[in-house]
């Protein structure tokens, strides 16, 4: 579904160029859920933004469905295949657009028909009832906003969802609801996930495989079972695991 | 039982809104001894507002009311700003979530610590500088002389938070209120910052109020935990026994966390109960008890 | 529907229809605005001004142009409440009719300048690169000239008349709005909700119009209301210099200019229109403050 080879991403122009990600590669099979875990500055979110086409400064190879992507442009087919959910639900919704406007515009942009019934269906899918349709973001809680953001991402009926720390701005009880929702949606729609998080427990819960990142490089790729079974080899992964277990 | 450092009875913080009054804190009572007390809750539970109310940092039109709010027997409820300033920093200090926002970006780290110390201790510059260096060493910063001359944007998050702790503890307060001090930090530096703070608080025999949303962190790090829901304490228990909590809210919070060592197919979702908002008559008295022997 | 339930309907957190949501948002804004007493005062003054302009022929006691040289430079009295000017015209009637001119100037400038500014500023901020450079350097050139001098140059070139004065004011007033709109755009441009819309395949034009403009407009409106006083004064300045409204039009600035010669002995001739300019300028300032409370929640009063 997604293949990344020798990906290098930088910010700024030489001589001030900083390589945020250096020579990273991984594969995600269709229907798989893959995690990127690391601390701040490890480059995990940067990879996500490059795949989404939000940062054109990269070299290497990114393939979606076997088709290589161009650095600067994405076509309509790409937006129908790949969508993204952002970290901060307070920043990812337009403050002056109601839920109805957000979803309606998205559906129209994606060239969908029967907008009205589709909005209803999307809201049902993410567990928001009819009463939420005409609310503005300031009338929603953090968890409800993130549900709207997920509904927006699902509007295009994508197959690959890029999830950038989707729960790190939320309370733990709300995090559980959103993670469950994401798991349900994946099962229902056969989605592929690329999930970025700093929280190993969240990644282990959600993903089949994961890559541990440090300072722009992948230190190790493991399965969730290996992670739990204490089979991580790289010292940095072991250090992270120990820290999240509180040892 | 010695007299508590800080005693709070029936604390209420109220904000007027269009739909009527909103109480962010609704009748909170506790005593703080020379111990590490955690206040845990989700956003909107009133935990941060409690810290701000103690320090007199609730801004109008917000109102703070309490049957009693005493610091070593002296009432500090709604003191005039001048007196409150002397207490703030001098006797009660606060460490905030993100050092980036609480350090002044145009002053060097050293200047800020010296400034903070001199404000309360009225010491000459040379002495204040020596004190600042000592504090930086105490928070285990290598090469404190060099760090003194750096600006806040040049230090990492973990280092910034250590500097904040050094700055806050320099005037020798008796109580430290730490509001989510490690939430903005990476997991691998979290432990370090916590243990530094812990040691300093213990060595100086201070009282610590640790405000956090992270139950597991708190259970490892504190002596006693208050769990807040909708502006009230729903349960008080020793941190060691947190995992045997009885209140459904506490249990729900614990269960909703994904865990590395205990995989589940589906996370338990907290079912909120309207009854939690109201005081439980049986638990009312237990709220304020200090653990025995203190 | 009773009054109480209508209020609840408007303040509902869960609106059932698009219309209820929109009306609710407006009502919330109105409540915030109403809480600001001074802003309400400003609004009331401006409503009175508009009412005065509309009803001018009916409420003014005399014609603004009828001269009565026998009755010139009379102090305020029962017959002429605000006195008469050098040609024996009733000052009150001239002020009432002058409010139409003031409103015309203010309204036109307030329409033209911010729209030019919004367009140039958001395009510059959103496009970036050389487009930004070119547009902002042009803005800088306009900013580098003193506003009134530039307006003077325009009017001198186009010929003195009220229409040209308005045009000149509008052409000199837009650069600050462009600056403001560009700054707003730069902060919005990288927001996640813009990124999300881009990921839906939204074109740049759509992002600009549907997503960026609505967020810039509110701060521009506030700024315009606050700048109104300045515009009125500039218009009066042009009138005073004889480059705006031409006699015998009762433009307030020109009226002050007429009264200048007698200011020591017959103070009311210049003071009355001065007072009118002051009142209206202040009303706009107060209104702007209130609008800021409503439209710009970032500047929350602490």
């Amino acid at each position: 579904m997604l293949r990344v080879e020798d990906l290098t991403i930088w910010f700024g122009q030489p001589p001030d160029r900083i390589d945020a990600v250096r020579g990273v590669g991984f594969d995600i099979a269709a229907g798989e859920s893959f995690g990127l875990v690391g601390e701040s500055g490890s480059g995990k979110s940067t990879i996500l933004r490059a795949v989404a086409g939000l940062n054109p400064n990269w070299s290497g190879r990114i393939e979606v469905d076997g088709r290589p992507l161009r650095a600067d442009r994405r076509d309509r087919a790409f937006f129908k295949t790949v969508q993204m959910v952002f970290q901060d639900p307070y920043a990812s919704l337009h403050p002056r657009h109601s839920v109805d406007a957000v979803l309606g515009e998205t559906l129209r942009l994606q060239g969908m028909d029967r907008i009205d019934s589709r909005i209803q269906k999307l809201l049902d899918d993410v567990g928001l009832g009819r009463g939420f349709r005409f609310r503005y973001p300031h009338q929603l809680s953090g968890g409800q906003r993130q549900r709207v953001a997920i509904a927006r991402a699902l509007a295009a009926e994508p197959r690959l969802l890029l999830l950038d720390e989707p729960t790190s701005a939320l309370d733990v009880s709300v995090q559980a609801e959103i993670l469950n929702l994401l798991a349900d949606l994946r099962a229902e729609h056969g989605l592929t996930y690329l999930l970025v998080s700093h929280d190993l427990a969240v990644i282990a819960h959600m993903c089949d495989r994961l890559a541990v990142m440090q300072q722009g490089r992948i230190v190790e790729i493991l399965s969730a079972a290996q992670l739990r079974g204490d089979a991580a080899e790289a010292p940095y992964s072991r250090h992270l695991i120990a820290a999240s277990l509180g040892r | 039982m010695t007299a508590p450092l800080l005693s709070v009875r029936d604390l209420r913080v109220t904000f007027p809104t269009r739909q009527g009054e909103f109480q962010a804190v609704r009748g909170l009572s506790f005593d703080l001894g020379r111990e590490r007390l955690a206040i845990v809750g989700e956003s909107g539970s009133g935990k941060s507002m409690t810290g701000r109310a103690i320090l007199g940092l609730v801004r109008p039109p917000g109102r703070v009311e309490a049957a009693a709010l005493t610091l070593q027997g002296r009432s500090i409820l709604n003191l005039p700003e001048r007196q409150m300033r002397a207490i703030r920093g001098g006797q009660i200090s606060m460490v905030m979530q993100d050092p980036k926002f609480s350090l002044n970006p145009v002053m060097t780290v050293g200047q800020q610590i010296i400034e903070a110390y001199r404000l309360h201790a009225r010491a000459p510059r040379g002495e204040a500088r020596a004190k600042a260096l000592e504090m930086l060493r105490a928070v285990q910063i290598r090469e404190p002389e060099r760090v003194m001359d750096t600006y806040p944007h040049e230090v990492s998050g973990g280092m910034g938070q250590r500097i904040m702790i050094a700055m806050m503890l320099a005037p020798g307060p008796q109580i430290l209120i730490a509001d989510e001090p490690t939430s903005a930090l990476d997991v691998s530096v979290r432990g370090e910052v916590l243990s530094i703070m812990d040691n300093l608080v213990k060595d100086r025999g201070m009282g610590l109020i640790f405000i956090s949303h992270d139950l597991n962190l708190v259970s490892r790090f504190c002596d006693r935990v208050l769990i807040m829901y909708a502006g009230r304490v729903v349960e008080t228990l020793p941190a060691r026994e947190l995992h045997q909590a009885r209140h459904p809210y506490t249990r729900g919070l614990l269960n909703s966390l994904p865990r590395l060592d205990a995989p589940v197919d589906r996370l338990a979702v907290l079912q909120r109960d309207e009854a939690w908002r109201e005081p439980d008559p049986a638990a009312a008295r237990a709220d304020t008890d200090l653990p025995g022997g203190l | 529907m009773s009054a109480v339930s209508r209020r609840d309907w408007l303040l509902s957190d869960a609106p059932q229809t698009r219309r209820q949501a929109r009306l609710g948002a407006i009502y919330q804004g109105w409540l915030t605005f109403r809480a600001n007493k001074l802003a309400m005062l400003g609004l009331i003054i401006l409503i009175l001004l508009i009412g005065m302009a509309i009803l001018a022929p009916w409420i003014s006691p005399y014609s603004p142009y009828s001269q009565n040289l026998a009755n010139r430079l009379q102090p305020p009295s029962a017959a002429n409440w605000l006195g008469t000017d050098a040609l024996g015209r009733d000052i009150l009637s001239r002020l009432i009719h002058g409010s139409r001119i003031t409103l015309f100037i203010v309204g036109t400038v307030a329409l033209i300048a911010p729209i030019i500014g919004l367009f140039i500023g958001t395009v510059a901020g959103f496009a970036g690169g050389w487009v930004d450079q070119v547009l902002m350097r042009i803005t800088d050139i306009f900013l580098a000239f003193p506003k009134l001098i530039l307006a003077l140059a325009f009017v001198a070139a186009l010929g003195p008349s009220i229409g040209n004065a308005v045009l000149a004011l509008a052409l000199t007033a837009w650069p600050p709005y462009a600056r403001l709109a560009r700054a707003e755009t730069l902060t919005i441009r990288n927001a996640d909700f813009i990124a999300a819309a881009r990921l839906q395949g939204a074109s740049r034009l759509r992002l600009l119009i549907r997503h960026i403009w609505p967020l810039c407009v509110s701060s521009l409106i506030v700024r315009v209301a606050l700048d109104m006083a300045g515009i009125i004064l500039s218009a009066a300045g042009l009138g005073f210099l004889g480059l705006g409204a031409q006699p015998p039009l009762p433009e307030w600035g020109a009226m002050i200019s007429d009264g200048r010669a007698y200011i020591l002995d017959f103070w009311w001739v210049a003071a009355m229109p001065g007072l009118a300019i002051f009142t209206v300028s202040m009303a706009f300032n107060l209104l702007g403050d209130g609008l800021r409370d409503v439209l710009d929640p970032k500047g929350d009063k602490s």
Side-chain angles (χ1 to χ4, degrees):
Chain A
M1 185 77 216
L2 177 71
R3 163 170 295 175
V4 173
E5 278 170 21
D6 195 27
L7 178 67
T8 296
I9 309 171
W10 63 89
F11 292 108
Q13 301 297 324
D16 297 324
R17 179 176 134 161
I18 296 164
D19 288 356
V21 173
R22 284 171 284 185
V24 161
F26 55 88
D27 279 310
I28 306 177
E32 192 185 17
S33 171
F34 188 86
L36 286 175
V37 70
E39 305 200 310
S40 49
S42 63
K44 54 193 193 306
S45 292
T46 312
I47 294 180
L48 225 55
R49 296 185 84 88
V51 172
L54 297 173
N55 179 4
N57 299 320
W58 54 269
S59 66
R61 196 175 171 80
I62 304 178
E63 279 178 22
V64 171
D65 257 350
R67 290 187 308 127
L69 297 180
R70 286 175 53 183
D72 51 342
R73 294 196 91 83
R74 297 286 193 272
D75 56 11
R76 203 145 273 280
F78 175 82
F79 298 130
K80 281 205 161 293
T81 317
V82 183
Q83 281 296 325
M84 181 161 171
V85 175
F86 295 84
Q87 169 173 8
D88 185 356
Y90 290 85
S92 73
L93 295 179
H94 195 291
R96 296 268 156 94
H97 289 180
S98 67
V99 174
D100 178 61
V102 169
L103 297 180
E105 182 186 29
T106 305
L107 287 165
R108 268 185 283 275
L109 280 169
Q110 297 289 356
M112 298 288 184
D113 53 350
R114 295 181 295 113
I115 307 274
D116 214 51
S117 61
R118 275 182 198 270
I119 291 178
Q120 211 56 60
K121 170 86 169 49
L122 282 171
L123 286 176
D124 288 343
D125 277 357
V126 296
L128 291 175
R130 190 170 283 270
F132 290 91
R133 178 162 172 189
F134 297 104
R135 293 199 196 185
Y136 287 92
H138 68 87
Q139 294 168 323
L140 301 171
S141 71
Q144 289 164 348
R145 288 174 193 225
Q146 200 59 301
R147 285 172 193 266
V148 174
I150 292 170
R152 172 177 59 192
L154 291 177
E157 299 178 352
R159 281 175 297 140
L160 173 62
L161 217 48
L162 308 172
L163 304 163
D164 186 4
E165 304 253 18
T167 59
S168 65
L170 306 175
D171 279 324
V172 285
S173 62
V174 182
Q175 164 171 289
E177 292 169 15
I178 297 289
L179 292 181
N180 283 342
L181 171 69
L182 287 170
D184 292 345
L185 290 170
R186 183 158 84 98
E188 244 170 77
H189 299 266
L191 297 168
T192 308
Y193 283 170
L194 174 52
L195 171 67
V196 159
S197 178
H198 66 280
D199 189 336
L200 261 182
V202 167
I203 293 270
H205 174 72
M206 291 295 289
C207 299
D208 311 317
R209 290 190 305 137
L210 61 137
V212 180
M213 293 197 63
Q214 184 189 21
Q215 289 169 9
R217 292 180 200 282
I218 289 184
V219 178
E220 191 169 17
I221 296 185
L222 323 148
S223 71
Q226 283 172 312
L227 176 75
R228 289 217 164 89
D230 210 13
E233 281 166 9
Y236 181 71
S237 325
R238 299 192 67 84
H239 168 70
L240 268 191
I241 295 170
S244 30
L245 284 173
R247 274 190 233 125
Chain B
M1 226 187 195
T2 53
L5 276 176
L6 180 76
S7 176
V8 177
R9 287 291 175 280
D10 200 23
L11 177 74
R12 286 169 195 278
V13 181
T14 315
F15 291 90
T17 70
R18 265 186 208 128
Q19 277 83 18
E21 306 241 289
F22 170 71
Q23 287 206 347
V25 180
R26 307 181 303 144
L28 183 78
S29 301
F30 68 87
D31 282 331
L32 176 76
R34 299 187 188 283
E35 60 174 330
R36 296 164 302 178
L37 173 72
I39 302 182
V40 182
E42 297 189 285
S43 52
S45 62
K47 57 185 194 304
S48 291
M49 206 41 81
T50 303
R52 300 181 72 91
I54 293 170
L55 282 171
L57 291 173
V58 176
R59 289 204 176 135
R63 286 198 322 272
V64 181
E65 293 151 331
L69 178 59
T70 55
L71 175 68
Q72 293 182 308
R74 175 183 165 216
S75 174
I76 55 166
L77 179 66
N78 295 328
L79 277 186
E81 181 59 23
R82 260 178 70 96
Q83 292 176 45
M84 210 57 226
R85 256 203 301 274
I87 290 172
R88 230 181 275 145
Q91 285 169 282
I92 310 180
S93 281
M94 189 160 187
V95 175
M96 306 270 198
Q97 179 169 0
D98 197 335
K100 276 201 187 62
F101 299 122
S102 24
L103 288 168
N104 183 343
V106 295
M107 270 169 87
T108 64
V109 164
Q111 279 172 334
Q112 291 185 58
I113 304 179
I114 291 173
E115 196 77 358
Y117 180 62
R118 274 167 53 103
L119 208 59
H120 292 283
R122 313 204 175 282
R125 276 215 149 256
E127 189 192 318
R129 192 182 156 78
K131 180 77 184 174
L133 282 171
E134 179 202 319
M135 285 312 300
L136 285 178
R137 257 179 235 115
V139 293
Q140 296 173 25
I141 285 177
R142 287 179 292 267
E143 306 181 79
E145 276 91 355
R146 189 184 61 76
V147 173
M148 288 276 277
D149 294 327
T150 56
Y151 285 89
H153 69 267
E154 297 171 302
V155 302
S156 68
M159 176 97 96
Q161 203 59 302
R162 281 193 270 174
I163 290 168
M164 272 312 288
I165 293 172
M167 187 164 133
M168 286 304 153
L169 293 187
Q174 283 125 15
I175 297 175
L176 179 68
I177 300 179
D179 190 354
E180 305 266 11
T182 57
S183 304
L185 305 181
D186 282 326
V187 256
S188 61
V189 288
R190 235 174 243 187
E192 205 179 1
V193 169
L194 282 178
S195 70
I196 288 168
M197 192 163 81
D198 189 22
N199 287 334
L200 285 172
V201 166
K202 222 183 290 171
D203 292 348
R204 290 155 179 251
M206 291 169 56
L208 172 70
I209 298 181
F210 190 93
I211 298 171
S212 175
H213 67 280
D214 190 335
L215 281 166
N216 286 322
L217 183 76
V218 154
S219 72
R220 292 200 296 273
F221 176 69
C222 291
D223 301 316
R224 205 155 60 98
V225 183
L226 305 183
I227 289 130
M228 282 187 77
Y229 180 78
R232 280 190 42 249
V233 171
V234 292
E235 190 169 18
T236 309
L237 59 164
R240 289 181 306 281
E241 294 165 23
L242 190 66
H243 288 270
Q244 286 99 53
R246 276 163 313 184
H247 196 280
Y249 177 63
T250 320
R251 294 234 54 86
L253 281 187
L254 284 167
N255 292 336
S256 63
L257 273 175
R259 285 174 59 182
L260 207 50
D261 46 358
V264 288
D265 280 343
R266 212 179 154 71
L267 295 168
V269 170
L270 183 66
Q271 299 296 335
R272 284 157 208 278
D273 188 341
E274 206 43 35
W276 300 346
R277 298 176 58 87
E278 298 318 316
D280 176 5
R285 290 186 53 237
D287 279 1
T288 56
D289 284 352
L290 278 172
L294 262 170
Chain C
M1 213 186 281
S2 73
V4 177
S5 74
R6 185 174 307 140
R7 182 185 152 92
D8 288 344
W9 182 78
L10 282 168
L11 288 178
S12 162
D13 259 345
Q16 297 301 313
T17 61
R18 214 162 286 168
R19 194 170 132 257
Q20 185 187 2
R22 209 159 284 156
L23 289 176
I26 293 171
Y27 185 62
Q28 290 269 1
W30 167 243
L31 287 181
T32 312
F33 184 84
R34 214 175 53 180
N36 186 336
K37 294 277 181 304
L38 285 173
M40 281 303 283
L41 178 68
L43 184 67
I44 290 169
I45 294 178
L46 291 175
I47 290 173
L48 287 179
L49 177 76
I50 292 169
M52 193 162 97
I54 294 171
L55 301 174
W58 294 280
I59 58 172
S60 63
Y62 304 93
S63 155
Y65 305 120
S66 75
Q67 303 179 5
N68 179 357
L69 288 177
N71 202 18
R72 65 191 290 263
L73 294 173
Q74 290 302 309
S77 65
N80 304 96
W81 288 3
L82 301 181
T84 59
D85 68 4
L87 297 173
R89 295 174 295 198
D90 180 45
I91 293 181
L92 177 63
S93 305
R94 286 181 68 74
L95 280 184
I96 291 173
H97 280 269
S99 63
R100 290 184 158 189
I101 300 172
T102 302
L103 275 179
F104 166 72
I105 295 174
V106 162
T108 325
V109 176
L111 270 181
I112 301 176
I115 289 176
I116 302 178
L118 176 69
F119 192 77
I120 292 183
T122 49
V123 168
F126 192 55
W130 65 267
V131 179
D132 185 23
Q133 288 293 324
V134 170
L135 289 177
M136 288 330 281
R137 292 303 78 79
I138 294 174
T139 311
D140 285 346
I141 292 170
F142 272 87
L143 271 176
F145 286 100
K147 219 156 111 183
L148 198 57
I149 307 273
L150 195 61
L152 277 177
F154 273 118
V155 179
L158 298 171
S161 85
I162 188 98
N164 287 342
V166 167
L167 194 64
L169 286 175
L171 286 177
T172 51
W174 66 266
Y177 302 117
R179 278 266 166 112
L180 183 68
R182 175 173 175 271
E184 291 262 325
T185 309
L186 287 181
T187 58
I188 301 165
R189 179 170 79 166
N190 294 321
D192 281 351
F193 59 82
I194 297 291
R198 277 172 67 189
L199 277 181
Q200 306 294 349
S203 66
R204 297 171 73 87
L205 189 66
R206 171 180 278 271
L207 288 177
L208 193 66
I209 294 174
R210 291 259 314 154
H211 295 251
I212 292 182
W213 280 8
L215 289 175
C216 291
V217 164
S218 50
S219 57
L220 282 184
I221 291 177
V222 172
R223 182 69 189 269
V224 169
L226 290 172
D227 281 358
M228 275 309 176
I231 294 169
I232 295 174
L233 290 176
S234 302
L238 285 180
F240 180 80
L241 293 171
L243 293 169
Q246 294 304 300
L249 275 185
E251 201 270 327
W252 293 352
M255 286 168 72
I256 297 183
S257 169
D258 290 343
R260 180 187 48 166
Y262 320 103
I263 197 156
L264 287 180
D265 298 321
F266 311 102
W267 54 269
W268 58 89
V269 181
M272 292 307 168
L275 203 61
I277 291 173
F278 165 75
T279 312
V280 174
S281 307
M282 190 187 65
F284 270 113
N285 256 329
L286 296 177
L287 178 80
D289 253 2
L291 286 178
R292 178 160 47 203
D293 292 349
V294 177
L295 296 173
D296 199 11
K298 273 173 288 177
D300 241 349
K301 282 180 295 183
S302 51

